[in-house]
Amino acid sequence: MGYRNLRECVADLEKSGRLRRIEDEVDPDQEIGIIQRRVYAQGGPALLFTRAKGSRFPLLGNLFGTLERTRYLFRDSLAHVETLVKFKLDPRELMRRPGAIPKTLLGAAHLLPRRVDKGPILAHRTSLSRLPQLKSWPLDGGAFITLPQVYSEDPARPGWRHGNLGMYRVQISGNRYQPDLEAGLHYQIHRGIGVHHSEALRRGEALRVNVFVGGPPSLNVAAVMPLPEGMPELAFAGLLGGRRISLVPAANGLPMPAEADFVISGTIDPQRTLPEGPFGDHLGYYSLAHDFPVLQVEAVHHRPEAIWPFTTVGRPPQEDTTFGAFIHELTGPLIPDVLPGIHAVHAVDAAGVHPLLLALGSERYVPYAEKREPMELLTQANAVLGQGQLSLAKYLLIAAREDAPELDIHDIEAFFKHVLERIDWRRDLHFQTRTTIDTLDYSGHGLNAGSKVVMAAAGEPRRTLAREIGSDLALPAGFSAPRVVLPGVLAVQGPPHVGQRGESAVDMETFCAYFDTQAAINRFPLVVVVDDSEQVARQLNNFLWTVFTRSNPATDIHGISAFTEARHWGCRGALVIDARAKDFHPPALEEDPAAVRRVEALAASGGPLHGLF
């Protein structure tokens, strides 16, 4: 059986050597976040901070810090989940394995939550100011709940069957919120709570919301799981956790998990928004302060001996990287079922997930054609960009599996090589110039607003990719330090970017005009102009993060010998991406040196953190 609550999970992890207690006092203002990030980077254990400064509640970090530990948490139920996924894909699998039917039915029995009158969560009440005031980065606007499970129901169809459980940012102190009475609720676009909020506003009602913290670990996974339409997250949490989720009523009339550690109950004010943020985010930058809904807090419940689970986010990889890998293990087999013709999809974590999406599709429209070119791939690309959170992708690179059946979509260098050998920049670029992008991506022309590009490749290789810089490569004034990043990819150091948001930089037009189609630079089909070419070329992850988080396709893609024909843009020479930092971009995340020194002193020989990192 799975864990009934978080305390059972902590006890099991400690007994099995997968958790370490930190008994010395540590400050939740940055220090705890620094420790968690470093232990995660080392593949270290879960961490229980028993003396967080200013808090009487212990803090649990790095719970999902490794894929092995995440699988361990759900070892009793993973087989049931995987079996149900297989049966959904192919009912014939059930006929081949009739012995699996009893186990499958047992797992399915955990889908239905159960109503109870009493539970540990009803034992105590507290206030927002007495919760751990965790601050991960120096410029954060206050304390945030970093592993919240935000629950709402459709006002038109009340009940858990039409509920939504999502992981949306909740600010509990700072800015202009009334202490203990208000919290900020930052949900990004294309989230289930938005549908409920829209219906509440249409009806002129406040939206009831409960914020769960802690409880069975399966609730955390369910809150970030891209589930099929009609599958409530509370049901999936029971399936994954190996136990039905017990629910008790909260003060606002919504249910709350009986075994949760904390629950904040309230309503979203239908009349007001307030500035929320800034906050360090998963793209590796600060998301700036913007107006978001206000949660009017009615009650803060907590169980006896409650534990406050947390994570920190920042430039990938971080703990949410493990979430992504685990979710892919569970849902990857469903991709061909949800997106016919698509064999695999990879949201590239090192690029911040949404900025870069790789896909393997099929090209079968004209199988008898002498030469294959992207046709069906374009239909599939539109389907990908219309599917759930995949729709937030900014760069979608899609290739035909028929050209290389052995191609591994998670081998990013090999995938880029495959695409760049085949793509025709005159034909294979397809833009959406004014559309929605990730709320946390500031590279576009406004909040939630930017552009997308599909790069589709099919057929035989059309070029050999350069791996070295020839002596005949010349650059215009102000551009220097060319470096090979990958076969066919060249990084060039440019001058600081000058230009307005939503407009292309004039110096990029000058850069491209310097070359003709015979210039040596065209041996590299992809050229990226960056602030530090040495740094970008040093590691693949540096290239992925810099290029795809700092560019907006419609304004930052240029090309040598570019043209527009029948409203289609292409180029006859190399494609050029301006990936320099712009003055309208938020600052990249940097740790406070003084906090780092304090943490490093704790990790020195004889210190309480010695051996962790």
Side-chain angles (χ1 to χ4, degrees), residues 33-55:
I34 292 171
I35 295 167
Q36 187 271 327
R37 291 192 293 272
R38 277 156 175 69
V39 174
Y40 171 82
Q42 295 290 323
L47 303 169
L48 186 67
F49 296 89
T50 60
R51 291 180 58 205
K53 185 176 180 180
S55 172

Side-chain angles (χ1 to χ4, degrees), residues 68-385:
E68 178 276 331
R69 185 158 62 249
T70 304
R71 293 189 191 115
Y72 177 83
L73 296 177
F74 307 111
R75 60 195 181 279
D76 294 334
S77 55
L78 273 181
H80 297 157
V81 177
E82 292 165 353
T83 301
L84 286 170
V85 168
K86 287 179 181 177
F87 291 162
K88 183 181 186 303
L89 285 172
D90 187 357
R92 293 171 296 181
E93 183 73 16
L94 187 61
M95 303 305 296
R96 296 190 201 103
R97 298 173 54 206
I101 294 176
K103 291 183 179 179
T104 303
L105 293 176
L106 177 62
H110 298 141
L111 286 165
L112 296 178
R114 76 171 108 212
R115 299 275 185 173
V116 296
D117 296 326
K118 299 178 180 178
I121 189 59
L122 297 173
H124 302 291
R125 289 204 182 192
T126 186
S127 60
L128 295 183
S129 59
R130 292 177 178 172
L131 299 175
Q133 302 295 299
L134 188 72
K135 210 175 150 188
S136 300
W137 298 97
L139 301 183
D140 281 355
F144 296 81
I145 305 176
T146 55
L147 284 177
Q149 308 150 29
V150 182
Y151 181 78
S152 61
E153 292 180 356
D154 187 342
R157 298 181 296 171
W160 67 266
R161 286 179 174 81
H162 304 291
N164 173 258
L165 188 69
M167 195 166 284
Y168 315 126
R169 206 159 71 201
V170 179
Q171 181 172 354
I172 58 174
S173 66
N175 291 3
R176 289 159 44 196
Y177 300 113
Q178 295 184 58
D180 291 327
L181 299 178
E182 295 177 337
L185 181 54
H186 173 144
Y187 65 83
Q188 297 161 253
I189 60 172
H190 212 297
R191 300 300 196 268
I193 192 175
V195 177
H196 295 170
H197 194 189
S198 178
E199 176 63 19
L201 292 175
R202 188 189 70 79
R203 297 159 69 99
E205 301 174 359
L207 180 66
R208 297 177 297 166
V209 171
N210 281 342
V211 181
F212 315 152
V213 182
S218 61
L219 283 168
N220 277 305
V221 178
V224 296
M225 196 78 179
L227 295 174
E229 195 71 28
M231 173 70 161
E233 287 83 4
L234 287 179
F236 180 80
L239 175 66
L240 180 63
R243 289 178 180 270
R244 295 172 65 186
I245 300 298
S246 296
L247 300 174
V248 296
N252 61 0
L254 291 182
M256 55 184 179
E259 295 285 349
D261 287 77
F262 300 86
V263 174
I264 301 169
S265 295
T267 58
I268 293 181
D269 189 325
Q271 304 296 328
R272 289 193 310 144
T273 59
L274 283 175
E276 182 267 2
F279 185 64
D281 65 47
H282 72 269
L283 268 71
Y285 305 90
Y286 286 96
S287 56
L288 304 179
H290 298 281
D291 287 348
F292 279 96
V294 178
L295 180 65
Q296 296 179 313
V297 176
E298 297 172 356
V300 182
H301 297 269
H302 75 87
R303 65 176 296 133
E305 300 181 307
I307 298 171
W308 185 266
F310 77 94
T311 188
T312 59
V313 292
R315 177 183 164 180
Q318 299 290 345
E319 191 173 0
D320 50 2
T321 301
T322 307
F323 270 124
F326 184 66
I327 288 170
H328 179 77
E329 283 191 355
L330 296 180
T331 63
L334 291 171
I335 289 294
D337 191 50
V338 176
L339 295 166
I342 294 289
H343 302 285
V345 172
H346 180 198
V348 180
D349 179 73
V353 181
H354 293 312
L356 177 61
L357 196 66
L358 311 181
L360 269 176
S362 303
E363 192 50 70
R364 305 161 298 189
Y365 273 5
V366 190
Y368 52 83
E370 184 178 343
K371 291 185 178 180
R372 190 164 23 241
E373 64 181 66
M375 298 173 68
E376 186 182 8
L377 287 183
L378 304 182
T379 301
Q380 293 160 359
N382 286 329
V384 169
L385 293 178

Side-chain angles (χ1 to χ4, degrees), residues 421-454:
E421 285 175 338
R422 290 165 174 79
I423 200 159
D424 185 342
W425 298 130
R426 299 170 300 177
R427 179 193 65 197
D428 297 335
L429 293 167
H430 306 275
F431 289 86
Q432 294 182 20
T433 54
R434 296 187 75 85
T435 186
T436 52
I437 60 173
D438 185 0
T439 302
L440 303 179
D441 190 331
Y442 284 82
S443 65
H445 52 267
L447 184 67
N448 298 318
S451 63
K452 305 178 189 298
V453 65
V454 173

Side-chain angles (χ1 to χ4, degrees), residues 439-577:
T439 302
L440 303 179
D441 190 331
Y442 284 82
S443 65
H445 52 267
L447 184 67
N448 298 318
S451 63
K452 305 178 189 298
V453 65
V454 173
M455 301 180 177
E460 296 297 318
R462 58 185 297 111
R463 63 176 66 87
T464 300
L465 303 179
R467 296 172 178 267
E468 296 179 350
I469 299 172
S471 59
D472 54 346
L473 177 67
L475 296 172
F479 296 85
S480 62
R483 297 288 186 274
V484 176
V485 179
L486 298 170
V489 181
L490 184 72
V492 173
Q493 193 158 300
H497 177 274
V498 177
Q500 299 297 313
R501 186 168 194 158
E503 297 180 2
S504 297
V506 174
D507 61 0
M508 293 306 300
E509 302 298 331
T510 303
F511 177 86
C512 292
Y514 181 83
F515 307 99
D516 60 25
T517 55
Q518 303 304 310
I521 198 170
N522 293 302
R523 297 180 194 134
F524 295 90
L526 178 59
V527 177
V528 296
V529 176
V530 297
D531 297 305
D532 186 344
S533 57
E534 179 68 37
Q535 186 264 351
V536 166
R538 190 176 304 132
Q539 293 181 351
L540 176 62
N541 282 359
N542 290 348
F543 162 72
L544 296 169
W545 181 67
T546 301
V547 172
F548 297 102
T549 64
R550 296 184 181 178
S551 62
N552 176 33
T555 55
D556 294 326
I557 286 183
H558 306 265
I560 294 170
S561 188
F563 64 90
T564 302
E565 187 176 283
R567 294 189 175 86
H568 175 82
W569 186 93
C571 59
R572 298 179 179 88
L575 190 78
V576 182
I577 300 178

